[in-house]
Structures are given as C-alpha cells and as structure tokens.
Amino acid sequence: MNTHLPVATTSAAIEVTDMTVAYGDKPVLWDVDLETPPGVLMAVVGPNGAGKTTLIKAILGLVPAAAGQVLIHGKPYHAQRQRVGYVPQRGSVDWDFPTSVLDVVMMGRYGRLGWFRRPGKAERDLAMQALEQVGMAEYAQRQISQLSGGQQQRVFLARALVQDADVYFMDEPFQGVDAMTERAIVDLLKGLRSAGKTVVVVHHDLQTVSEYFDWVTLLNVRCVASGPVSQVFTDENLRKTYGGRIAFVGRANNAEPTPGRISTPAPAIGV
Amino acid sequence: MSASLEIQLIAVTAATGCALVGVFLVLRSMAMMADAISHTVLLGIVLIFFIVQDLQSPWLLIGAAAMGLLTVSLVEALNRTKLVKQDAAIGLVFPALFSLAVILISRYARGVHLDVDMVIMGELALAPFDRVTIFGLDLPHALATLSAILLINIVFILVFYKELKLSTFDPALAAAFGFSPALLHYGLMALVSVTAVGAFDAVGAILVVALIVTPAASAYLLTDDLRKMLLLSVAIGAGSALAGYWLARLLDANIAGSMATMTGVVFLIVFVLAPQRGVLTQLRRQALQRWRFAQTMLIIHLLHHEGAPDAAVECRAEHLQAHLRWQPDFAAQVIRDAERSGAVHQERGLLRLTDHGRRLAEAAMVR
C-alpha cells in the first residue's frame, strides 16, 4: 500500500491518486491527483491530447494505468461498478448496428443484470421512462442509424440514466449537438446533480464552463487545478493549461482574438 | 436415409453453423479474420493428427480451436507493434500457418485420408461413406460432427446473446460493466475455428468464408434487428446450401463451388433488390429527391420574382432553362408536374404560383 495516501477522505465521490498512464514510453497522464466531492457537476477541460478521455477510461479501468489508485465512494472501481455510469463518445460506436433506440437504452441495464440474465419488462419500462426524460419516447422503435447526432447523444444519455448510478462519467456529450439539445442535456445534468449524483463531463467549450458547471478540473497531461469553478477557473490556471494556445481555444466571437486574453466569462479574472 | 438426403443435411448443417457466427463477424468488421482462421485451423488439425493418428478424434477440433486463437493472437500482436496494419497482419499470418500445414500434409500425411485437395476443396459427395453410430443411429460422420458444432454455436449465442450484442456494439461500455469483451472475443473466435473445421467436410477450407460471410452480409442489408439478422442469415445460408446442391447435380459440378456460388447469387439479388438498402431502392430514392428538389426550386424561384418588375422575364418557361440550368425536356417535365400538383399555373408562357404553391414555397423557405 501507498503510505502517503490521504486518509480521512472517504467522503469523496471520486478519488484519484498518483494516476499515471503511458502509451509506450509517452506519458498521457502524469501523476494525476483528483478529489471530487459528491453532488458536483464537474467539467474536465484541457487542450487536445491532454488526456481527458484517457483519464475517464483509466478511472473505469478501460486502459491500464502504469501507476495510481482510484476510489469511487471509498472503494475500488470494480467493487463499485453498479454505482458508476459511463457515456462514451458518440463516435465510438457503430450507429449502423442493427438495433432499435429502445434496445440501446436497455443496454444501460445490462450491468445490473450481470452475466446470463435477460432484460425483461422491468428493463423495458425503465428504458421508456428514460427516453421520455430525454424527449425521445416517440423514437423508441426507430432504428438507430436514422437518428441525427443530437438524437444519438440523447439516446446515450437515456442509456446512462437507466444505469441509475451515483457517479457518471460522460465523454463529450455536447460534441456535435444543436443548441436545443445542448440546453436539454444541461438541464438533465443539473437534474442529476440535484438528485445528489456526481457528474464528470469532458468538455470543450470554455465559454460555458462557469454557466454549466460548479466544479472543474484543468488537465494537460498533469492535473493543473481541480476545484470549484469560482476558485480554480482562473486566467492563470487556464494559461498554465493551454499555454500560448489560449486565444484560439477561447473561441472568441470576434474574428481576431487578442493573444493572451481569455474570452471566457470566468469570474475572478484579473487581466 | 438416402445419400442425397444425407448430403443435403450435411450441407445445411454446415451452412447454418457458419451463418450464425458470420453475423457477429460481419458486425465486428472481422470477415477477413474468418478467412484466415478457416485456413490456419488446418495446421491445428494436422499437428493433432500426428499425435493421435486418428481423423475421427474430437481432439482435432480442440487443436483447430487452439490454432484459430493463435491466429487471432498473432494478428493482434503484429498489429500492436504498429509496424503492420490489421489487414496486412492477416495477410502475413494466415499464409504462413496455412502453407506450413500444406507442406506437412504433402510430406508426411500423403496416402492417409487427409489429403490436400480434399481439405482445400471439400468433397461432400463422399461424406456419406464415412459413417459412425451414435445413440443407435447410423449417421455420416460429418453430419454428427456438424450437428454437435451447430448445437454449440446455438447454445453459445443463446446464452451470451446479450453480452455478445453489447460487446459488439459498444465494447467500452461492456468492459465498464465488467463483461470482459476480450473473453467474448476469443470465445467467438474459438467458435469460428471449430465451425470452420466442421465446414471443411462440406466446402473445404477455401470456400468456408463464403458460408460465413455472405449470408450474414446479405441479412445485414435486409433488416435492422439483430435477432432477425441471425434468422435471415441462417435461412439464406441453408437455402443457398440446398440450391447449391441441386445446381451441382444439374451441372454435374463440384458441390462446394456450387454452394458458394449460390450464396453469392443470393447476395447479389439482395444487394440490388433489398427493400431499404438495395441499390435499386437507393437509385430510385435519389431520383425522387432530385425531382422533388427541382419542384421546390421552381416554386421558390417563382416566389422570389413574383410581382417584381422582372417577373415577365424571370417567370417564363424558356427562361428556366438558362437561369436554373435545366435541360429543356427536364424543365418542361418539372413544369408539367408542378401544374398537375396544382402549385403552378401557366398563362401564355408565363408561370404563376397558385395560393397552394405559394404556401408550399413559403414553407420550404422556412425549413
């Protein structure tokens, strides 16, 4: 056992200690420590290649970690599978797979069912409820290849809802969705937070971080900062995370973003 | 049972087993892995044969399954080095193992029942001569083996249906749930290996892949439901097997070749005529879209210039040819259709929108 593990932290929803992931000898995550309290809506932001997706995958044991430990509500992930929900990137699956919307949502129950047990009426009912929650009930029997990007994302969210988890990890749920769907997803995430769930979201749009989230982790191979948005989403931390590229990721509305200026409505910016 | 009936039963059993595993291979984009496995299992059979000296031994199936898994592992290991891509890795591993098997057979197993032609081409016509008695039933050996393999396939897919579906569609979620996609993957590959060995008797190593891939690929074009895809794949596989048998009798040709040909014929028919995804449907849909789009273009054009000073010029039928770059015949047809649908009416060569047409055009603009 690691002797320098923080001790009285069992109240954290997610606790990552010394997480290092490398592909070959190239580190993708370098000694990441993270402690997320329960009931927060946390954005994980950072430039491309910062290891955001890898962080989630390593927490869920989907990629092997060279070092580090993960606790979900005080216990290792494999003991807490039932309490963790996962929404992979929309593009990671084949949407031409021969199956229906309802069927995909029911897959969210497979974890609870475990090996061999078949989904039945109870799973179907839960899936229908979740589809209603994301406004996709009328698409239940649709073949999944007929969905638009936003609809695909809603289906994935419905699938996460039926997992009925305490901690959710979502990989870019806003990627390629229209403004209306983005709004709907945000409402849904806030609903989850009100229900006491912890939600971790890989996010790209710095402008909406303070509006959507109350917790943020700034990641660039190392964990630059993690904490309440009002405290850690600062100009300085962003510059540390994005380096010189900040002006471009800030996605300013004006055609020529001023270098060094951060065009996010982040509080506590003192430029 | 007559020999003819027995041969048909063997063919159908082999095709059914192949068609079942084929569905998951096609959905996992692993069709070429099936081709590789169906060849390399031969090496497993040969090696085990040297040990047990018995072509009836169930150990042969175990050896085949092991060699199938070795093939998959070698391909994946090569691929992981990032020096060789997946398709090239398959192309490297499978000829290596297969050629080794061919050399071993021709050098050390000549004259035994195991001969190269038979393994490569299959000889279904001879299958009824090789018999075995099981539960008091006198059956062709191939039929007994293939039935056992088919049973294993059906049980595996029934038991792991949910797990196979999830790990094929979304391996990451399957892994997060603790379902071990790797275990299912290798289980499936072992099954493919065993199925391929069984199918040797029917069609030989070269054409096994036709029975595995083609029915599944056809079924994929016909349905949006995994269960139906499995059933359709089986139906197409079995149907092609029977049709192939009779084609072979009719032409006095090789049965294996005829069966594989029939799977291809069925695929071709499905490819062209499938109701949703067939080539014909898609062409028709494109033509219809082009036509509808032309109608919309026409009424929007008329809406734009309606009441404008240039209306007398812009809204003339002849002008459309120049302005919208339509061929005269095409323009005339579009106008005729628009008139027939009541969106446009023509007065002395001048086109006007009707109220109905104006509403349509406005609706199209909003969208």
Side-chain angles (χ1 to χ4, degrees):
Chain A
M1 280 295 287
N2 250 326
T3 45
H4 62 275
L5 272 180
V7 202
T9 50
T10 40
S11 62
I14 305 157
E15 197 184 327
V16 176
T17 324
D18 305 330
M19 168 80 75
T20 296
V21 177
Y23 294 136
D25 58 353
K26 187 172 166 274
V28 186
L29 287 176
W30 201 234
D31 201 22
V32 170
D33 291 299
L34 204 62
E35 204 182 310
T36 312
V40 299
L41 191 44
M42 179 171 91
V44 178
V45 297
N48 290 333
K52 302 183 292 290
T53 295
T54 306
L55 175 65
I56 287 186
K57 287 193 166 171
I59 290 175
L60 300 179
L62 299 178
V63 296
Q69 192 192 13
V70 176
L71 296 177
I72 305 286
H73 282 290
K75 288 183 194 152
Y77 172 70
H78 60 82
Q80 299 280 52
R81 283 186 206 282
Q82 311 287 337
R83 298 181 68 180
V84 178
Y86 174 42
V87 181
Q89 284 184 23
R90 184 159 53 83
S92 68
V93 306
D94 172 18
W95 290 94
D96 284 326
F97 192 84
T99 193
S100 67
V101 165
L102 185 65
D103 206 39
V104 169
V105 178
M106 273 161 66
M107 287 178 189
R109 295 303 294 174
Y110 286 10
R112 295 275 169 129
L113 286 169
W115 288 92
F116 310 122
R117 269 166 60 205
R118 297 295 186 86
K121 189 175 179 311
E123 283 70 32
R124 191 179 307 270
D125 291 346
L126 282 168
M128 274 315 295
Q129 276 173 30
L131 278 173
E132 264 158 41
Q133 262 178 285
V134 299
M136 290 282 293
E138 60 197 288
Y139 293 87
Q141 301 305 329
R142 268 308 161 83
Q143 210 277 324
I144 55 171
S145 65
Q146 297 168 10
L147 302 178
S148 70
Q151 290 169 337
Q152 289 174 353
Q153 198 63 62
R154 285 170 191 241
V155 169
F156 258 22
L157 279 168
R159 189 177 72 172
L161 290 178
V162 301
Q163 290 183 39
D164 192 23
D166 293 323
V167 182
Y168 282 101
F169 294 92
M170 306 190 178
D171 203 344
E172 300 197 27
F174 300 112
Q175 205 243 325
V177 305
D178 55 47
M180 217 174 76
T181 302
E182 179 156 335
R183 198 65 250 166
I185 295 175
V186 170
D187 290 344
L188 211 84
L189 298 184
K190 290 187 171 167
L192 285 172
R193 179 179 57 189
S194 314
K197 321 272 192 189
T198 312
V199 187
V200 177
V201 177
V202 171
H203 194 54
H204 264 300
D205 185 3
L206 291 178
Q207 303 218 48
T208 51
V209 167
S210 8
E211 186 190 338
Y212 294 170
F213 301 93
D214 55 0
W215 211 264
V216 66
T217 291
L218 294 144
L219 191 72
N220 190 357
V221 184
R222 293 162 188 273
C223 178
V224 175
S226 180
V229 170
S230 55
Q231 287 170 29
V232 305
F233 198 61
T234 60
D235 193 10
E236 192 195 343
N237 280 337
L238 278 166
R239 200 174 291 124
K240 272 194 213 160
T241 312
Y242 287 89
R245 286 166 290 178
I246 184 60
F248 304 100
V249 280
R251 256 183 48 183
N253 289 328
N254 51 331
E256 272 188 313
T258 328
R261 275 274 300 278
I262 297 154
S263 41
T264 45
I269 287 186
V271 179
Chain B
M1 252 192 306
S2 72
S4 159
L5 190 62
E6 280 178 352
I7 292 173
Q8 289 179 65
L9 265 177
I10 293 170
V12 166
T13 319
T16 306
C18 289
L20 280 173
V21 290
V23 166
F24 290 100
L25 288 170
V26 165
L27 290 176
R28 288 163 174 249
S29 317
M30 294 188 69
M32 286 328 286
M33 193 68 99
D35 196 23
I37 288 175
S38 63
H39 284 78
T40 57
V41 284
L42 186 57
L43 183 59
I45 294 178
V46 174
L47 292 175
I48 297 289
F49 175 74
F50 285 148
I51 299 169
V52 298
Q53 292 291 327
D54 173 13
L55 267 179
Q56 316 286 335
S57 166
W59 286 104
L60 295 180
L61 287 181
I62 311 271
M67 194 54 68
L69 293 184
L70 181 70
T71 308
V72 177
S73 312
L74 284 176
V75 169
E76 284 170 357
L78 263 179
N79 195 24
R80 257 198 307 276
T81 62
K82 303 234 166 99
L83 301 174
V84 182
K85 293 215 166 72
Q86 164 102 9
D87 58 339
I90 291 177
L92 288 166
V93 170
F94 118 60
L97 299 181
F98 183 61
S99 56
L100 196 59
V102 172
I103 291 174
L104 286 175
I105 295 176
S106 60
R107 181 72 186 84
Y108 298 108
R110 213 175 333 188
V112 199
H113 181 63
L114 196 66
D115 76 86
V116 176
D117 283 356
M118 171 125 178
V119 168
I120 294 179
M121 300 297 295
E123 199 34 275
L124 200 47
L126 301 177
F129 293 117
D130 183 5
R131 305 195 75 83
V132 65
T133 306
I134 292 175
F135 303 127
L137 280 170
D138 175 38
L139 296 171
H141 190 266
L143 186 57
T145 315
L146 282 166
S147 304
I149 292 170
L150 176 59
L151 194 68
I152 297 172
N153 277 345
I154 291 173
V155 169
F156 182 83
I157 290 172
L158 281 179
V159 170
F160 295 108
Y161 180 75
K162 173 182 103 221
E163 289 78 5
L164 281 170
K165 182 164 74 174
L166 180 61
S167 69
T168 304
F169 174 63
D170 192 345
L173 188 67
F177 280 162
F179 282 130
S180 182
L183 208 64
L184 287 162
H185 172 65
Y186 284 109
L188 188 64
M189 291 305 129
L191 213 58
V192 171
S193 313
V194 172
T195 308
V197 176
F200 273 11
D201 282 321
V203 293
I206 294 180
L207 296 176
V208 168
V209 70
L211 289 191
I212 292 181
V213 174
T214 329
S218 312
Y220 181 72
L221 296 179
L222 288 172
T223 178
D224 289 336
D225 181 309
L226 181 55
R227 279 166 213 271
K228 286 187 196 142
M229 185 174 165
L230 283 161
L231 293 175
L232 275 169
S233 179
V234 166
I236 291 170
S240 309
L242 289 177
Y245 171 79
W246 288 103
L247 180 70
R249 287 209 31 183
L250 194 73
L251 302 177
D252 191 20
N254 173 283
I255 302 177
S258 305
M259 279 168 61
T261 304
M262 285 317 295
T263 61
V265 169
V266 172
F267 177 79
L268 206 62
I269 293 171
V270 170
F271 183 71
V272 176
L273 296 178
Q276 296 290 320
R277 301 182 181 162
V279 173
L280 221 61
T281 314
Q282 288 193 9
L283 285 177
R284 203 178 299 142
R285 201 177 291 146
Q286 277 166 18
L288 199 67
Q289 271 168 1
R290 179 162 170 258
W291 204 246
R292 285 213 188 110
F293 186 66
Q295 297 276 326
T296 312
M297 260 169 86
L298 173 66
I299 56 175
I300 287 180
H301 179 76
L302 293 178
L303 184 72
H304 263 189
H305 297 284
E306 202 173 40
D310 58 356
V313 181
E314 289 283 344
C315 298
R316 298 200 73 82
E318 311 89 75
H319 173 80
L320 294 176
Q321 293 161 22
H323 190 98
L324 298 177
R325 285 195 226 124
W326 286 348
Q327 295 298 315
D329 291 350
F330 185 75
Q333 184 64 44
V334 172
I335 292 168
R336 249 197 318 279
D337 277 15
E339 276 185 297
R340 201 173 308 142
S341 69
V344 168
H345 80 117
Q346 201 171 167
E347 250 172 54
R348 280 168 285 137
L350 200 63
L351 296 170
R352 281 182 203 283
L353 283 174
T354 62
D355 290 343
H356 171 60
R358 200 166 298 117
R359 274 195 301 276
L360 282 180
E362 277 159 3
M365 297 283 282
V366 172
R367 210 158 24 118

